[in-house]
């Protein structure tokens, strides 16, 4: 048994790591043939992509996916720690699963992902959820088949969570959710330590994949007909710093663009180490999509300082303006936290002023949620929940108004859309995303999923556009 440990997770010793290849223990191949699984994924794209790896490993073991957890032989929760409500959702699900387990003792239940990296969560599981069969963390995802099998064979709770970085494992199998757009990890972990954020503890230190491994994965995706790749990392801007002297995200983006991948995206970029080289490359290659996620978190310098964000409102706006200039029409989205400890009315007004300047195309807005073991959790929080809720409401009113305003500018224009399928709400329409990452529902006949088509935009809503197929 390996348990998560907060002290270990805080250490940032330079641990040499290797790149090794994934290998399934051959005795496990199809061992669970005839069994079914239900996998529930919470959180960010990194977790979604981890689930694509988990699904492939389950397939190797012989499991088949089912839509309902009530009939599955294995239930696995891939969890998120970012805010308290992500925690509550996972524990709520565990509550429902407990009832099933009472009537079906052979049901196998497991937890993985970011919550598994939390010492407090695992303590609680060991005390109150002894019926949970296994837990593994973000660093040993590739070992999932062995952990599951050990829990089943030994019939006792198996917890294998490491709080230090392990090797980078290449060639982990993957069953991608889509056949036309794909996630590609380029860097794991985060060294930024924003004071509110749990990620540096749950995902470890920054470790880049070798560029040849990234480029090979993308080449294989292109050979299979993929139209879009999204490069993933908690902070993609740090790509390469741990491996190379002079090869970073700018160079990697340039190399991928030259491979003629039709659509390239990347998330998430910290405004602090967004280099001029990256900006230049974004300006140069039309296949790097004009849509950048640039989390600002707050518009008040004193709050940014307390958050440990390493930039000021002024330097953020300078970067924002450079991006708008280098790529006319670029859509910029953001994340904003309201009610950070000590946020005054004046500070909140600074955030509103910044939002009014930036007129974001999309924004994810949150009330600050204290995370155990992070520095900000110890800050004096003198902002009441009512005030935080009012600020969130007020902020949402302002951001929504700009989403609509920006969308209206596209009415009458022709946009390139990557077709994803029939619209879930309007079955007679298709849906897809523009280059600037806006959702479009559009009319048309016999359109192939995964193709890039031209759509005339006919109407704008706050969260989406309407259009008609043009060609
Ligand atoms: N409370 C609220 N929001 C948070 N985020 C990260 N940590 C917290 C927290 N403790 C938000 C940030 C980040 C996004 C992924 O989640 O805005 O950019
Ligand atoms: Fe949630 Fe962050 Fe973990 Fe993603 S990396 S699942 S956002 S805690």
């Amino acid at each position: 048994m390996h348990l998560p440990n907060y002290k270990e997770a805080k250490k940032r010793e330079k641990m040499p790591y290797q790149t090794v290849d994934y290998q399934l223990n051959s005795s496990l191949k199809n061992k669970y043939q005839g069994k079914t699984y239900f996998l529930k994924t919470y959180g960010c794209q990194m977790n979604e992509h981890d689930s694509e790896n988990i699904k492939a490993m389950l397939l190797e073991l012989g499991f088949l996916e089912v839509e309902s957890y009530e009939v599955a032989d294995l239930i696995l929760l891939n969890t998120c720690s970012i805010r308290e409500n992500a925690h509550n959702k996972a524990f709520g699900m565990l509550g429902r699963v407990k009832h099933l387990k009472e009537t079906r003792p052979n049901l196998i239940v497991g937890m993985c992902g970011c919550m598994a990296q939390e010492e407090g969560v695992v303590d609680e599981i060991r005390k109150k959820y002894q019926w949970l069969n296994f837990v593994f963390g973000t660093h040993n995802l590739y070992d999932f088949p062995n952990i599951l099998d050990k829990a089943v064979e030994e019939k006792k709770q198996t917890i294998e969570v490491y709080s230090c970085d392990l090797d980078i494992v290449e060639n982990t199998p993957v069953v991608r959710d889509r056949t036309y757009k794909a996630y590609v990890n380029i860097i794991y972990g985060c060294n930024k330590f924003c004071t509110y954020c749990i990620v540096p503890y749950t995902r470890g230190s920054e470790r880049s994949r070798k560029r040849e491994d990234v480029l090979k994965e993308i080449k294989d995706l292109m050979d299979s007909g993929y139209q879009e790749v999204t490069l993933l990392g908690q902070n993609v801007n740090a790509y390469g710093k741990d491996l190379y002297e002079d090869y970073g995200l700018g160079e990697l983006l340039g190399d991928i663009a030259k491979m003629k991948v039709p659509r390239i995206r990347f998330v998430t970029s910290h405004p602090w180490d967004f280099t001029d080289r990256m900006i230049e490359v974004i300006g140069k290659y039309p296949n790097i999509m004009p849509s950048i996620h640039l989390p600002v978190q707050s518009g008040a310098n004193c709050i940014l300082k307390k958050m440990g964000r390493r930039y000021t409102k002024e330097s953020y706006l300078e970067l924002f303006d450079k991006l708008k200039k280098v790529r006319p029409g670029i859509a910029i989205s953001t994340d904003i936290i309201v009610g950070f400890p000590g946020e005054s009315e004046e500070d909140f007004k600074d955030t509103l002023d910044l939002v009014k300047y930036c007129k974001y195309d999309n924004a994810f807005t949150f009330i600050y949620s204290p995370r155990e073991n992070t520095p900000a959790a110890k800050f004096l929080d003198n902002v009441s929940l009512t005030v935080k809720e009012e600020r969130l409401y007020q902020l949402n009113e302002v951001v929504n108004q700009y989403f609509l305003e920006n969308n209206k500018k596209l009415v009458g224009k022709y946009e390139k859309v990557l077709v994803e399928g029939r619209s879930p709400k309007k079955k007679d329409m298709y849906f897809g995303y523009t280059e600037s990452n806006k959702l479009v529902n559009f009319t048309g006949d016999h359109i192939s999923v995964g193709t890039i088509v031209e759509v005339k935009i006919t109407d704008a809503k706050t969260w989406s556009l309407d259009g008609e197929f043009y060609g």
Side-chain angles (χ1 to χ4, degrees):
M1 172 147 46
H2 273 100
L3 298 175
N5 176 303
Y6 284 144
K7 275 205 195 104
E8 282 287 317
K10 269 189 180 158
K11 271 194 216 157
R12 277 303 198 268
E13 286 165 25
K14 270 269 168 242
M15 300 274 280
Y17 58 85
Q18 292 179 354
T19 301
V20 295
D21 267 328
Y22 169 87
Q23 218 175 2
L24 178 76
N25 176 344
S26 58
S27 68
L28 297 184
K29 180 101 186 140
N30 290 327
K31 179 170 172 183
Y32 292 86
Q33 196 123 41
K35 300 270 183 213
T36 60
Y37 78 87
F38 176 85
L39 172 62
K40 176 83 188 155
T41 309
Y42 303 87
C44 63
Q45 288 109 325
M46 186 69 85
N47 253 23
E48 278 177 36
H49 187 40
D50 285 348
S51 283
E52 293 182 327
N53 292 128
I54 292 171
K55 283 183 184 178
M57 290 187 252
L58 284 164
L59 199 64
E60 286 187 328
L61 292 169
F63 282 93
L64 286 180
E65 188 172 12
V66 283
E67 297 283 316
S68 155
Y69 72 94
E70 277 139 339
V71 297
D73 300 304
L74 163 70
I75 298 175
L76 179 58
L77 308 187
N78 188 6
T79 60
C80 169
S81 310
I82 201 93
R83 282 170 294 275
E84 199 184 345
N85 65 348
H87 254 232
N88 295 346
K89 277 187 205 159
F91 275 117
M93 181 72 184
L94 279 185
R96 291 196 289 283
V97 170
K98 184 174 182 234
H99 295 298
L100 273 185
K101 183 93 177 166
E102 280 160 5
T103 52
R104 289 172 48 208
N106 287 337
L107 173 67
I108 315 163
V109 186
M111 176 192 270
C112 62
C114 290
M115 277 171 66
Q117 293 294 141
E118 290 186 67
E119 199 180 306
V121 168
V122 173
D123 276 350
E124 194 170 338
I125 286 173
R126 293 179 71 209
K127 284 189 202 122
K128 297 194 204 147
Y129 296 81
Q130 277 163 8
W131 53 268
L132 191 76
N133 300 78
F134 65 92
V135 180
F136 64 95
T138 57
H139 295 299
N140 57 342
L141 182 83
Y142 61 88
D143 208 20
F144 160 56
N146 299 322
I147 296 165
L148 163 74
D149 191 56
K150 186 170 172 226
V152 172
E153 290 297 335
E154 295 183 0
K155 296 192 174 51
K156 64 172 194 224
Q157 190 170 63
T158 304
I159 299 180
E160 294 292 336
V161 179
Y162 294 82
S163 294
C164 58
D165 313 324
L166 304 176
D167 291 334
I168 288 193
V169 178
E170 288 295 338
N171 297 314
T172 311
V174 61
V175 173
R176 297 187 190 272
D177 290 340
R178 304 174 191 87
T179 53
Y180 46 89
K181 67 179 194 185
Y183 293 129
V184 174
N185 285 330
I186 61 166
I187 181 168
Y188 302 99
C190 180
N191 288 352
K192 292 290 171 291
F193 289 99
C194 301
T195 56
Y196 52 81
C197 189
I198 199 162
V199 172
Y201 313 103
T202 61
R203 290 275 174 177
S205 52
E206 288 169 357
R207 283 146 300 136
S208 306
R209 284 179 72 196
K210 288 184 189 149
R211 65 185 185 215
E212 58 269 29
D213 291 329
V214 173
L215 296 175
K216 167 149 190 327
E217 185 174 347
I218 293 175
K219 165 89 175 48
D220 290 347
L221 288 166
M222 283 184 71
D223 290 346
S224 313
Y226 276 81
Q227 299 292 312
E228 182 175 303
V229 294
T230 300
L231 311 180
L232 285 185
Q234 255 74 39
N235 173 25
V236 286
N237 299 16
Y239 176 76
K241 285 184 183 176
D242 55 325
L243 286 184
Y244 309 113
E245 292 266 303
D246 50 5
Y247 193 91
L249 183 62
E251 287 72 21
L252 182 70
L253 280 172
D255 280 346
I256 299 170
K258 281 184 225 147
M259 289 165 73
K260 307 247 178 304
V261 178
R263 289 181 159 207
I264 305 161
R265 302 187 189 279
F266 54 94
V267 279
T268 291
S269 280
H270 190 299
W272 179 68
D273 46 12
F274 209 112
T275 61
D276 282 344
R277 174 80 184 126
M278 282 165 60
I279 299 172
E280 185 191 321
V281 169
I282 291 165
K284 184 167 169 192
Y285 295 101
N287 54 342
I288 299 176
M289 291 296 96
S291 153
I292 308 278
H293 190 58
L294 201 62
V296 68
Q297 314 298 1
S298 168
N301 281 337
C302 62
I303 297 293
L304 288 172
K305 195 154 185 229
K306 277 179 86 175
M307 288 176 162
R309 289 294 285 177
R310 309 172 188 217
Y311 55 85
T312 58
K313 173 178 84 180
E314 291 75 19
S315 62
Y316 179 90
L317 291 177
E318 196 183 318
L319 170 62
F320 181 93
D321 288 341
K322 277 188 192 169
L323 285 166
K324 286 277 177 189
K325 193 161 160 219
V326 81
R327 195 72 184 266
I330 196 168
I332 298 185
S333 57
T334 202
D335 293 339
I336 300 170
I337 298 175
V338 296
F340 190 73
E343 185 190 64
S344 67
E345 219 30 67
E346 197 55 34
D347 298 332
F348 176 60
K349 202 178 148 291
D350 284 348
T351 299
L352 288 180
D353 286 346
L354 178 127
V355 163
K356 286 175 191 162
Y357 179 86
C358 293
K359 301 182 171 57
Y360 290 107
D361 285 90
N362 203 355
F364 300 91
T365 56
F366 313 104
I367 289 180
Y368 166 69
S369 169
R371 306 316 296 134
E372 200 187 348
N373 201 40
T374 56
K378 298 189 192 79
F379 294 172
L380 176 70
D381 192 353
N382 53 359
V383 191
S384 74
L385 183 61
T386 321
V387 168
K388 291 180 194 216
E389 283 170 350
E390 270 165 22
R391 286 182 189 166
L392 183 69
Y393 179 82
Q394 220 181 319
L395 176 64
N396 284 342
E397 291 283 291
V398 178
V399 290
N400 290 352
Q401 168 199 325
Y402 292 116
F403 303 162
L404 183 61
E405 205 172 278
N406 287 328
N407 281 349
K408 277 186 177 162
K409 286 186 196 145
L410 297 178
V411 174
K413 298 232 162 81
Y414 296 84
E415 289 283 313
K416 288 203 180 82
V417 173
L418 174 56
V419 186
E420 301 229 352
R422 287 278 178 190
S423 166
K425 285 190 189 146
K426 301 173 194 160
K427 292 282 179 225
D428 56 332
M429 291 176 106
Y430 289 89
F431 81 101
Y433 289 85
T434 64
E435 295 199 327
S436 56
N437 214 16
K438 290 175 189 288
L439 170 64
V440 189
N441 292 302
F442 60 100
T443 53
D445 289 315
H446 307 297
I447 300 169
S448 303
V449 169
T451 53
I452 295 173
V453 299
E454 210 153 26
V455 172
K456 183 179 181 190
I457 306 301
T458 52
D459 197 10
K461 311 204 165 117
T462 304
W463 307 105
S464 64
L465 299 162
D466 280 348
E468 52 201 37
F469 175 76
Y470 181 72

